[in-house]
Each structure stands twice: as structure tokens, then as C-alpha cells.
Amino acid sequence: MNVFKNIFEKYVNPDRSIRATLFNIITGTGIIGGTVAFIISCLVGLDKIQLWAIAISICILYYGFYIANWKGMYNQAAFCIVALITLILFPVMFVTDGGLYGGMGYWFVLGIVFNYLLLEGISAKILVVLQIIVTLACYLYGYLFPERIVGFDCPEDMYIDTVQSVLVLAVAVGLIVEFQQRVYNRVIRKLDEANRKLTESEKRAEEASMAKSEFLSTMSHEIRTPINAVLGMTDMILRESNEKKILQYAADIDISGNALLSIINDVLDISKIESGNMEINNANYEIKDLARDCRNLIKDRAEKKGLNLKIELDPDIPSVLNGDVARIRQIVVNFLTNAVKYTQKGYIELKISGVRDLERNIYKMRLEVKDTGMGIKEEALNEIFEKFRRFDLDRNRTIEGTGLGLAICRQLAELMGGIITVDSVYGEGSLFTVILPQVITDGTPLGNINLDIDENEIRSKYRKETFKAPGKSILVVDDVEMNIKVFLNLLKDSEMYVETASSGYQCLEMTEKKKYDLVFLDHMMPGIDGITTMEKMKEGINKDTLTVMLTANALSGMEEEYLKRGFDGYLAKPVKRTALEKMLKNLLL
Ligand code: ADP
């Protein structure tokens, strides 16, 4: 039994190759069937030509079996066997073995089945046509020249010949069907298994991605809370201390704290983009505001390095465009920050221009940032927008960075339907360009504007004067004492009545009794969270009170979410004095 099992596994194993296995089944059947036929034919005393034909067929089959299994030449073997046997030997056997009255018809059928199963492509098609022609020719020959067909000596011979042919055909077809069914079942089983695994891993990936988002959101919250305290306290030192050395220390803490914050923001952004959750929020905006914001954000840093900052706006820019200005600003500020970081002397230039596509009402805005810095080696240019890629580390060792900035820029530009490019001459400078299609809301040309004259909001970063709103009553709700302390200090000179609560419940107690002008609420607090507190509070006397969400949950898209829930404003921690004052001004004055 074991011998048969071994043979079966070696030659009839569907795991090898379906065609190779079929080839073995068919040629094996042919060899065994042919040998039986040969023996029976010898016993019944067929004439020599027939015996030769059968013997040659068996030899061809055996040779084919040999070169296929030992030399790996399945295709050639299959083609030669089918062609030789069905086009040459079968006609000979037909003429010499009773023609119409013997079992040859079944062998013609087996030849064509054999062809369909083993050969593919054009050679299979040509062979089928030839087989049909030869079969028809044999029968026509038998019809036209019956006297040339060697008949059977007696009816028994005819019956034996027919019966053995029927049996060979039946067994061969049975085996083929059985085999195909096995293969089919096996494939289905494997497919089911693969599907199950796929669903499982999809589920696991989804869970992992959820866990990642959750982790990032928690991490963002957890890291921002202490930075909030560090930056808030630093701000107080900068405002209150007169000691030069202390001021210098505090300024350094401020720079490092902000750098840490921007790294966290980058990591959050890239993971948001990768999980497909980055949304583009389009709204109307003015180019001159964008240019002014970019300049204000980079001016101090450029000045500190003695770099000249030039801004050039094409007078033909449409006054109002529609797009995601926050994301555009993020890209440009990233370019500008890099330009400052990687330039030692010379200038940095921001140029905004573009072309109008009036038919589609689109402005193809081109934002370019040029510097006269160290430049980028040619071989690095292709990879500069990849994640975590930083170059020239020998020269840049002292320059901080994560290699995420430009990767985020490219992804953001692509999300907005734009493209980003870089040109650079090593040692001379670089030019970063982003082209973004923006919808034109107001096509009136911007004209020649001077950002400095237009500027009425220029303030020094650590200026000493403060926002004031005498008599307004404010409630700040946060469970972290340090946050409250920072907040109170930021509002210290505002001449408002500022009260505090350390939980949602305490806030509800206080707002039941007193009406406030504005309530700042932390999001995640033990007990009830900021959103529920706001909703409950609005059921009472404070139903018209303004509310601002004050949270370390700084994932992009949160602002819209909070506004949708009914808040009037949103401030990310660490709260910046300028952002807080701008918010108060908007809401209270
Ligand atoms: P980071 O600046 O945080 O390292 P970026 O993704 O912003 O990451 O930039 C990737 C790399 O591209 C930088 O490390 C630097 O080698 C190179 N690079 C970017 N901008 C400039 C520039 N203006 N001049 C020279 N090299 C630059």
C-alpha cells in the first residue's frame, strides 16, 4: 500500500502543478491502458501493424512521462505526445483496427480531451483544429474506401476492442474529474482560510490603528499639559523678571519648549495623514493675511540670524481665495523655517504669484521660498520629501529637526491637489516651490501692498502691555492646578473677574448661582468632562454664556469638532498669550 501511496504522492499531487499532475494521470492511464490493450491484442492475435502501433504509442507515452518528470519538460512532452499519437498513430490504428466498427472513436475523444487539459495557448488551438480535421478525414476515408479498412475477424474481436476502449475512456475521464474536484475543493479550502486570515488581520490592523490614534491623542494630552505649565511659567518670568541672566535662561526654555511642541505636532500630523484622517477644510481667505502671518512667524528668527527677509506678492493675485489657509500656512512656514535653519548669511525670500484659469475659476497659486543657504546635494534632492530623511548631518549636527517637516508638506500639498518641488545648488542656496489650485472667491487684483504699512498688529513677542476687559466675569475650569495658575497669570492684568473651578461638578454648582460672560472649560476631567459640563450648564441661567474649549487634545480637526458641539471657541494648550488675547478680543469686545 505504501508503495502506491508514495507513487501517488510523487506523481499525482495537486500541490505540484495542476497541469503536470494531469499529464501524469493521463499518460499513466495511457501507459497502463495501452499495455492491457497490447496484451489482449496479442492474445486475440491482432495483426502486426496494430501491435506495432500500440507498442509505439506506449513507448511515446513512456518517453513523454520520462522527459516530463525527470527533465521537467512538461509542455514539450505534452505537445509531442498529443501531436504524434492523435495525428499519426490514431489514424493508423483507425485504418487497421476495424475503423468505424472498433473502439477508435473513444480514443479520438480521449485525444481531444487530453489536448484541452494539457496544452494552452495557440499551440493547443492549432492542434485541436488538426485533430478534428484528422478525425473527420479518418471517418471520411472509412466511408469512401471501406475495402481499405482492416476489419475484425469475428464479432467478438469487435466487441472486445470497443469495450476496452470504453473502459479506458471512462476510467481516464473519471480520474480527471475526480482530480479536478479535489483541486477545486483544495483551492476553495485555501481561499476560505486566506479570507479568514485576511479578515482577522484587517480587524487587528483596525484595532491597532485605533489604539495608535488613541495613544497619540493621550500622548498629545499628557505631554502638552506639562509643557503648558513650563511655557506659561516661562512667559511669566519673561514678563516679570528684570534680571538679564534669568531672562536669557527663560528665553532659552521658551525656545526649547516651543521646539518640543512643534515636534509633537509633527508626529501627530504625520500619523493623522497616514491613517487617512487628515481633513482639508476650505474657507475664504485673503492672501495678504497669509503673507503677513508667515512673515510674523518667521521674522524674529530671521532677524536673530542676521538674515534679510524679503516678501514679494504679485499685484495680480486675486484678493480673496478659497482653500485651507491653515494648511497652506503650515507648508510655507515649514519652508521658511528650514530656510532660516539652513542659511548662515544672505537672504530669505517668500514670493507668491500664480496664473488664473478663468474657465474653471481657479487660481494656480505658486508659493516659493528661496534662500542663500548651504543648499542640498543633488543626490539628496529626490529623497528630501521622504519621512525621517535628513542630509549633510556632518554640517547640520547642531541644527535641530526630525526630518518630518517636508514629508508632511508634500502630503498636505497632495491632499490639496497641489505639487511640491525643490531646486538647489549645493553651497549656493535652495528654492522650494508649492503650486496649489485655489478657487477664486473675489478676483479683484490685490495691487501693490506694503505689508508693513498694512500691519497694525505688529507686537513684540514679549511685550508688556495686556488685553483689558474691565468688569467681565470669567470662569476657568481645569482639574490641573498648575494650568489654572498659568491661566490666572495670563489674565492677571486684564481687569476681569476671574474665578476658577477644579471640576465639572464644581463648575455646575457655580454656574447655577451666577451668570458669567465667558467660561473656559478643560476637556478631559475626572467626573464629568468639559463637553457634558457645557451642555448641562447651558440648561440653566448661563444658557447664553460664551464657552471656550481649553484642551491639550490638539489633533487636527478637533477645532471643528468642538465648534460643532456648541463651543464658541477653541484654544489648544499650551495656551499662548497672543492666541488667548485674540480669542478674548473676538468674543468679548
Ligand atoms: P528637518 O528640517 O526637521 O530635518 P525636513 O523634512 O524639514 O526635516 O527637511 C529634511 C532635510 O532636508 C533636512 O534635514 C535638510 O537636510 C534638508 N533641507 C530642508 N530644507 C533645506 C534648505 N532650505 N536648505 C538646505 N537643506 C534643507
Side-chain angles (χ1 to χ4, degrees):
M1 274 318 267
N2 265 352
V3 178
F4 284 118
K5 203 175 159 210
N6 285 347
I7 292 178
F8 195 78
E9 266 173 19
K10 184 162 182 206
Y11 300 113
V12 194
N13 184 351
D15 277 345
R16 292 171 79 205
S17 141
I18 294 179
R19 285 178 62 228
T21 308
L22 267 177
F23 175 86
N24 285 343
I25 292 178
I26 295 169
T27 45
T29 315
I31 291 170
I32 295 166
T35 311
V36 172
F38 184 76
I39 293 167
I40 295 174
S41 302
C42 283
L43 291 179
V44 297
L46 282 186
D47 69 50
K48 278 198 178 125
I49 300 181
Q50 288 174 346
L51 288 177
W52 272 111
I54 297 175
I56 291 170
S57 299
I58 296 169
C59 290
I60 293 172
L61 282 175
Y62 183 75
Y63 185 67
F65 191 81
Y66 167 75
I67 61 164
N69 283 290
W70 278 271
K71 309 270 182 211
M73 296 159 70
Y74 282 97
N75 286 338
Q76 295 87 330
F79 187 83
C80 292
I81 286 177
V82 180
L84 278 173
I85 292 184
T86 61
L87 300 182
I88 300 172
L89 281 174
F90 282 1
V92 173
M93 285 165 75
F94 182 85
V95 174
T96 57
D97 194 18
L100 187 61
Y101 301 104
M104 272 319 292
Y106 301 103
W107 290 90
F108 284 130
V109 173
L110 199 59
I112 292 178
V113 171
F114 198 101
N115 180 4
Y116 269 115
L117 288 171
L118 296 184
L119 295 171
E120 52 184 11
I122 189 76
S123 56
K125 291 196 181 94
I126 292 173
L127 207 56
V128 160
V129 173
L130 291 178
Q131 281 175 324
I132 292 170
I133 292 172
V134 167
T135 308
L136 289 175
C138 284
Y139 280 97
L140 191 66
Y141 184 77
Y143 175 73
L144 293 176
F145 310 105
E147 70 285 356
R148 294 192 195 162
I149 303 291
V150 181
F152 292 99
D153 295 340
C154 55
E156 287 81 9
D157 286 358
M158 186 177 81
Y159 276 105
I160 290 171
D161 188 71
T162 309
V163 166
Q164 78 189 19
S165 304
V166 167
L167 288 180
V168 169
L169 178 70
V171 170
V173 171
L175 280 174
I176 290 164
V177 171
E178 157 85 17
F179 171 76
Q180 294 280 24
Q181 226 151 27
R182 265 178 191 233
V183 172
Y184 177 76
N185 288 341
R186 196 178 280 239
V187 169
I188 292 283
R189 262 205 310 278
K190 278 192 180 158
L191 225 62
D192 277 352
E193 177 72 359
N195 263 347
R196 202 180 49 75
K197 279 193 184 146
L198 212 69
T199 326
E200 231 169 60
S201 58
E202 231 171 56
K203 211 174 122 205
R204 245 181 282 140
E206 236 167 62
E207 279 168 6
S209 147
M210 292 266 286
K212 189 171 137 197
S213 292
E214 217 163 274
F215 167 75
L216 283 171
S217 148
T218 319
M219 187 188 81
S220 146
H221 189 271
E222 294 303 312
I223 298 180
R224 277 164 173 271
T225 305
I227 300 183
N228 183 32
V230 171
L231 291 180
M233 296 297 172
T234 311
D235 187 74
M236 282 187 273
I237 299 173
L238 286 166
R239 289 163 59 80
E240 290 169 18
S241 172
N242 290 319
E243 247 184 83
K244 225 176 144 203
K245 221 171 174 187
I246 301 288
L247 279 173
Q248 187 53 52
Y249 292 153
D252 287 346
I253 297 175
D254 191 65
I255 290 169
S256 301
N258 278 308
L260 181 56
L261 210 56
S262 80
I263 293 173
I264 295 171
N265 287 341
D266 277 359
V267 172
L268 287 175
D269 272 351
I270 204 86
S271 61
K272 184 134 197 175
I273 290 171
E274 281 178 359
S275 63
N277 289 330
M278 179 63 88
E279 277 173 21
I280 297 300
N281 298 302
N282 293 332
N284 289 342
Y285 69 92
E286 292 185 38
I287 289 276
K288 73 172 185 251
D289 293 338
L290 171 69
R292 189 190 309 119
D293 287 352
C294 291
R295 190 193 60 171
N296 289 350
L297 283 164
I298 207 70
K299 207 169 126 257
D300 287 352
R301 256 184 275 182
E303 259 168 25
K304 226 179 253 171
K305 277 186 94 173
L307 300 169
N308 194 3
L309 177 64
K310 303 182 193 174
I311 296 192
E312 198 188 313
L313 305 181
D314 181 349
D316 185 48
I317 301 175
S319 302
V320 185
L321 295 173
N322 190 284
D324 191 337
V325 71
R327 297 296 167 206
I328 300 173
R329 186 169 46 225
Q330 187 174 349
I331 296 176
V332 177
V333 169
N334 212 306
F335 286 172
L336 287 167
T337 313
N338 278 348
V340 173
K341 273 196 325 198
Y342 300 105
T343 304
Q344 295 312 326
K345 60 175 192 308
Y347 67 90
I348 287 159
E349 183 177 21
L350 166 64
K351 194 170 152 193
I352 309 182
S353 59
V355 280
R356 294 176 188 237
D357 175 349
L358 291 179
E359 238 168 67
R360 291 163 53 218
N361 195 36
I362 292 282
Y363 185 63
K364 271 197 172 170
M365 181 162 65
R366 186 184 187 92
L367 302 125
E368 292 164 299
V369 174
K370 191 173 164 201
D371 66 56
T372 53
M374 60 198 298
I376 301 157
K377 286 187 181 151
E378 209 179 327
E379 61 267 24
L381 281 178
N382 284 335
E383 294 172 46
I384 200 149
F385 296 108
E386 304 287 322
K387 265 188 307 184
F388 304 116
R389 295 311 298 264
R390 308 196 68 217
F391 299 93
D392 240 351
L393 288 179
D394 290 347
R395 291 170 66 180
N396 295 345
R397 195 167 298 129
T398 51
I399 302 176
E400 66 200 23
T402 53
L404 280 176
L406 289 177
I408 295 172
C409 289
R410 184 179 64 179
Q411 304 259 26
L412 288 177
E414 282 170 6
L415 278 174
M416 292 189 278
I419 48 166
I420 218 167
T421 55
V422 56
D423 272 320
S424 188
V425 179
Y426 191 56
E428 287 183 22
S430 315
L431 171 67
F432 283 85
T433 307
V434 58
I435 299 174
L436 299 165
Q438 301 283 287
V439 174
I440 302 171
T441 306
D442 178 356
T444 320
L446 186 65
N448 284 311
I449 61 156
N450 184 334
L451 286 178
D452 283 323
I453 295 171
D454 193 61
E455 177 75 77
N456 51 18
E457 279 182 88
I458 312 173
R459 300 170 190 161
S460 91
K461 202 171 172 195
Y462 307 124
R463 77 209 154 77
K464 307 253 169 175
E465 85 267 19
T466 335
F467 163 84
K468 289 187 178 19
K472 297 278 183 198
S473 59
I474 307 285
L475 176 61
V476 185
V477 190
D478 199 315
D479 59 311
V480 180
E481 203 189 319
M482 188 66 87
N483 287 344
I484 298 236
K485 213 162 152 191
V486 169
F487 213 83
L488 285 177
N489 264 293
L490 290 175
L491 296 179
K492 191 166 70 181
D493 302 321
S494 66
E495 295 175 11
M496 303 191 289
Y497 298 115
V498 186
E499 290 174 37
T500 64
S502 60
S503 71
Y505 294 118
Q506 199 187 349
C507 162
L508 290 179
E509 269 173 33
M510 294 170 75
T511 49
E512 248 173 47
K513 297 183 202 123
K514 184 174 166 187
K515 166 118 178 59
Y516 293 89
D517 293 304
L518 175 60
V519 178
F520 287 100
L521 280 153
D522 182 33
H523 185 176
M524 284 180 245
M525 295 183 285
I528 49 172
D529 68 16
I531 298 179
T532 323
T533 309
M534 182 274 286
E535 284 164 357
K536 287 225 160 88
M537 179 190 94
K538 294 233 161 180
E539 290 168 10
I541 52 170
N542 278 288
K543 68 173 188 302
D544 302 325
T545 301
L546 296 165
T547 50
V548 173
M549 181 48 97
L550 195 69
T551 175
N553 191 347
L555 286 176
S556 329
M558 286 317 284
E559 178 162 7
E560 295 78 43
E561 189 59 37
Y562 289 129
L563 296 185
K564 235 186 268 164
R565 299 297 289 262
F567 284 90
D568 301 288
Y570 158 92
L571 278 178
K573 289 186 204 173
V575 175
K576 294 245 163 72
R577 178 181 299 279
T578 40
L580 172 63
E581 293 187 349
K582 201 169 159 197
M583 171 76 67
L584 288 167
K585 222 175 181 180
N586 279 345
L587 294 177
L588 295 178
L589 298 187

